Amino acid sequence: MENHGQRGARERWEPLAPGIARRRMPVWDCTIGAVSGPDGVLLVDTGSSLREGAEIRREVEELFGRRVTHIALTHAHFDHVLGTAAFAGVQVYGAMGIDRVLRDGEEVRTSAVREGVDPDAAEEAADLLVRPHHLVSGELTLDLGGGRRVLLADVGPGHTAHDLAVLVTDAGGAPEVVFCGDLVEESGEPQAGSDALPEQWPAALDALLVLGGEDAIYVPGHGAVVDAGFVRAQRDALAVRFGVS
């Protein structure tokens, strides 16, 4: 008999290709990605609280039958990083420099509370904030076994000073999948906060398009999956919005 938890997990996670799925989390519509191979599972971002992180951990184990072994943090905003401490013993990766942002959890906690996270939950997660064990400058390839390789690419700055994209180079015969973080947003206009570098954002999207190519599936940090044409149009709109070429 099917377990209700397993059925629920499958309903919440959108399959993108064999062994690749994503979930749009409630409230902030933040995308969490998961990539499974015979030797491990890579998680892309971890949610906005320890409770969300623990829920994601359970669901990914149900979906793929194995535990998360690697985490890639696309950037340092609270809705993408505060669940990381729910994954004990996992190797965490981020773009070069993100460790400096995460060294003091107070800024992340303050942002989370300002956006509506329960203050106690935000404080607990910020106290346990995990900084990446591995910093990516340029590109780094992870081997999840069975020919499944995942490329981590420091394509920023743009949305923040430390934006990491994740490219699944073997999608089981399906198009390649690119997890974009908040360099790309589909559910609304891309958010440029005080930590954004708007004059460099279009160039980051140019790099993202080179990384994935014309036929890839692009997974925004918020919103529905898009194609290269959408990314290019958003790149051009950002260039006009911020007055850059």
Side-chain angles (χ1 to χ4, degrees):
M1 181 177 295
E2 183 177 50
N3 180 282
H4 288 292
Q6 291 175 327
R7 186 168 63 246
R10 280 197 287 271
E11 289 170 353
R12 286 187 288 270
W13 287 78
E14 174 188 357
L16 302 174
I20 309 173
R22 68 96 175 238
R23 180 179 170 187
R24 293 169 68 171
M25 301 303 292
V27 186
W28 296 280
D29 191 29
C30 174
T31 281
I32 306 297
V35 183
S36 177
D39 297 336
V41 175
L42 170 74
L43 190 71
V44 182
D45 292 335
T46 61
S48 63
S49 67
L50 294 176
R51 180 193 60 78
E52 281 195 352
E55 181 176 270
I56 292 164
R57 185 191 67 229
R58 290 192 299 269
E59 291 186 349
V60 170
E61 289 178 11
E62 291 170 0
L63 284 171
F64 298 124
R66 53 179 61 90
R67 301 184 66 181
V68 172
T69 54
H70 304 75
I71 289 173
L73 299 177
T74 61
H75 60 292
H77 288 168
F78 79 93
D79 48 335
H80 297 261
V81 304
L82 281 181
T84 308
F87 298 84
V90 173
Q91 295 299 300
V92 181
Y93 298 77
M96 184 68 69
I98 192 176
D99 56 321
R100 293 193 296 272
V101 181
L102 297 177
R103 184 171 294 130
D104 180 4
E106 180 59 23
E107 183 177 346
V108 180
R109 183 199 67 80
T110 300
S111 175
V113 173
R114 184 173 60 244
E115 295 297 327
V117 174
D118 175 78
D120 291 339
E123 183 173 6
E124 179 186 26
D127 285 346
L128 299 172
L129 198 59
V130 177
R131 298 200 303 273
H133 310 109
H134 309 279
L135 298 173
V136 180
S137 176
E139 298 179 351
L140 175 69
T141 299
L142 301 178
D143 188 349
L144 299 180
R148 167 133 295 175
R149 290 180 172 83
V150 180
L151 180 69
L152 310 182
D154 181 4
V155 296
H159 177 66
T160 72
H162 317 290
D163 293 310
L164 189 74
V166 178
L167 169 69
V168 187
T169 56
D170 167 30
E176 294 181 331
V177 177
V178 183
F179 291 95
C180 307
D182 287 4
L183 284 168
V184 179
E185 297 191 41
E186 184 277 335
S187 54
E189 187 174 73
Q191 297 301 300
S194 60
D195 57 345
L197 285 88
E199 69 280 1
Q200 298 184 58
W201 200 331
L205 293 185
D206 287 336
L208 198 67
L209 286 164
V210 170
L211 187 71
E214 287 300 309
D215 298 326
I217 297 169
Y218 291 87
V219 186
H222 302 265
V225 169
V226 300
D227 60 12
F230 181 96
V231 176
R232 187 171 295 106
Q234 191 155 96
R235 179 257 182 238
D236 293 343
L238 285 168
V240 171
R241 176 179 166 190
F242 298 123
V244 297
S245 59

